[in-house]
Amino acid sequence: MEKEALAAIESGESKEEPAVVTAVDPIDDTKDDEDFDLLTLPESTHTLLFTEPIHSKAFLFSLAIASLSIMCLILALTNKVVTLDGMREIPGNVGHTVKIAQFASIFIALLMEEEIPTGLCLLRHIPKNYFKSKFPNLKYYKFVASCSLRILMGYIFLVSVMLLLMMADNVLDIFFDFIALQFLQQLDDVAFNLARMGVFSKSLRAATRNKYFQTELRRHTKVNGNRKISFFLKAIYFINLVALLGAQIYVTVRQGNGDYQCKSITVRFKDEVWEKSLVQLPGEEMKEMALVYPYFNGIYNQDGTSNDGRPV
């Protein structure tokens, strides 16, 4: 037997074939990219506006939160424009640190603002037919209204930020006001989390744990559609960036030209005389003379020139 085995080995023959190991790719590349790109409904009180009946406590609660957020954003917006004395004016000039903070805040605002892209993504990725197939008991017009509300709040936030930056003359005021605006915009997320913890009522807690929030949705677009949507969102960001930067650059240039500075002042001195004052007139040496203060009374208008950065 040993001789036969040795002979078989020497002749290259073997009764057993060697095992072949092959690697298995767990991801099927033939599938569309959308099979691996899922989304769920945002966990926000804005979502409750179309997942809950109009007369329900959850819907009224969400409507109150949205109204409160919009009202506070509008109050902050008008506070930057109107005061008890009338229309608020843009500062005549600001320091370099304030200018740097203004332009930096524009990029921060676009990064932190999420209502506009969220609303647009939901509208673009969930068309009416797909919405009806996944949520047959829900109304599509309420879904559109909820997304539109998100977009509206986002633009109110951006306009408030723009006016905040235009009226600012202090770095800390910029950041403090910016944080306050961001908090107002996120009231829906805060209220939703509190409701989910059962802080308000059992019915609100049940609404936040509804099956709709666990439903996985496929992005209802093909590869080319995804590229179009990606381009669309980038275009929206670019337009918002250009609008904010353009407005801030316009204000900064006009501040540098002195367009927002006072154009005239009225001077009224008391009837006093300064005896033996030292006066140096243009092109002359300093000499002693009496100054009659009422002589300088009158209205002084800015002629558009400057001296050492100050208007003349």
Side-chain angles (χ1 to χ4, degrees):
M1 293 294 293
E2 294 179 355
K3 292 181 179 181
E4 292 178 358
L6 291 174
I9 294 174
E10 290 176 356
S11 62
E13 299 178 357
S14 177
K15 295 182 179 180
E16 297 181 359
E17 295 182 358
V20 179
V21 180
T22 58
V24 179
D25 188 358
I27 298 178
D28 187 1
D29 294 333
T30 62
K31 292 185 178 181
D32 197 291
D33 288 345
E34 67 176 359
D35 290 340
F36 306 100
D37 195 6
L38 303 176
L39 61 87
T40 57
L41 296 179
E43 295 184 348
S44 165
T45 55
H46 294 323
T47 305
L48 297 178
L49 292 174
F50 66 87
T51 60
E52 299 299 319
I54 294 180
H55 299 292
S56 65
K57 183 183 296 185
F59 180 89
L60 297 177
F61 173 78
S62 303
L63 185 63
I65 294 297
S67 301
L68 180 62
S69 298
I70 293 178
M71 181 187 68
C72 291
L73 286 172
I74 293 177
L75 288 176
L77 176 63
T78 56
N79 180 65
K80 294 300 176 184
V81 181
V82 182
T83 63
L84 294 177
D85 299 327
M87 298 295 292
R88 187 186 295 272
E89 296 182 355
I90 297 176
N93 201 358
V94 294
H96 295 294
T97 56
V98 176
K99 293 179 181 178
I100 294 174
Q102 287 172 334
F103 285 97
S105 297
I106 291 176
F107 293 95
I108 296 174
L110 290 176
L111 290 175
M112 297 183 65
E113 204 296 306
E114 58 182 9
E115 299 294 354
I116 296 176
T118 300
L120 292 175
C121 279
L122 291 174
L123 288 174
R124 298 282 292 181
H125 288 301
I126 309 178
K128 183 176 182 179
N129 293 334
Y130 185 64
F131 182 87
K132 287 292 186 180
S133 64
K134 300 296 290 186
F135 309 112
N137 297 326
L138 302 182
K139 302 295 184 181
Y140 184 72
Y141 75 90
K142 293 172 63 178
F143 169 73
V144 174
S146 174
C147 295
S148 301
L149 179 62
R150 285 181 177 274
I151 298 172
L152 174 64
M153 291 184 60
Y155 277 107
I156 294 177
F157 170 79
L158 291 181
V159 173
S160 299
V161 169
M162 182 180 65
L163 294 178
L164 159 68
L165 299 179
M166 288 182 178
M167 305 296 179
D169 56 2
N170 185 277
V171 174
L172 291 180
D173 289 343
I174 292 177
F175 293 133
F176 287 150
D177 292 343
F178 189 81
I179 293 173
L181 290 176
Q182 184 64 23
F183 172 75
L184 293 177
Q185 193 191 29
Q186 294 179 345
L187 279 180
D188 57 301
D189 298 329
V190 176
F192 184 90
N193 291 329
L194 291 176
R196 170 165 284 188
M197 290 187 292
V199 174
F200 301 111
S201 67
K202 293 182 179 180
S203 60
L204 286 176
R205 182 183 181 185
T208 58
R209 297 177 180 272
N210 200 303
K211 61 181 180 180
Y212 300 124
F213 292 100
Q214 283 76 41
T215 303
E216 291 186 343
L217 306 171
R218 295 185 186 276
R219 297 182 185 272
H220 201 70
T221 51
K222 299 298 182 182
V223 177
N224 292 334
N226 282 330
R227 292 175 180 175
K228 292 180 180 179
I229 291 176
S230 178
F231 175 79
F232 175 74
L233 292 177
K234 291 177 182 178
I236 293 296
Y237 265 101
F238 179 76
I239 292 173
N240 293 339
L241 176 63
V242 170
L244 292 176
L245 284 178
Q248 189 57 48
I249 291 173
Y250 174 80
V251 171
T252 302
V253 171
R254 295 199 64 183
Q255 284 177 329
N257 296 334
D259 294 336
Y260 299 117
Q261 294 177 348
C262 181
K263 301 301 180 182
S264 65
I265 58 174
T266 301
V267 178
R268 292 182 179 179
F269 290 111
K270 296 181 179 180
D271 294 335
E272 296 180 358
V273 178
W274 185 4
E275 300 288 348
K276 298 181 180 182
S277 63
L278 296 178
V279 179
Q280 184 178 10
L281 298 176
E284 299 182 7
E285 295 182 355
M286 188 175 295
K287 59 183 179 180
E288 183 178 305
M289 61 182 297
L291 286 181
V292 181
Y293 286 103
Y295 175 80
F296 299 99
N297 290 346
I299 299 176
Y300 293 80
N301 296 318
Q302 183 180 349
D303 61 3
T305 61
S306 60
N307 182 25
D308 293 334
R310 297 181 179 182
V312 178

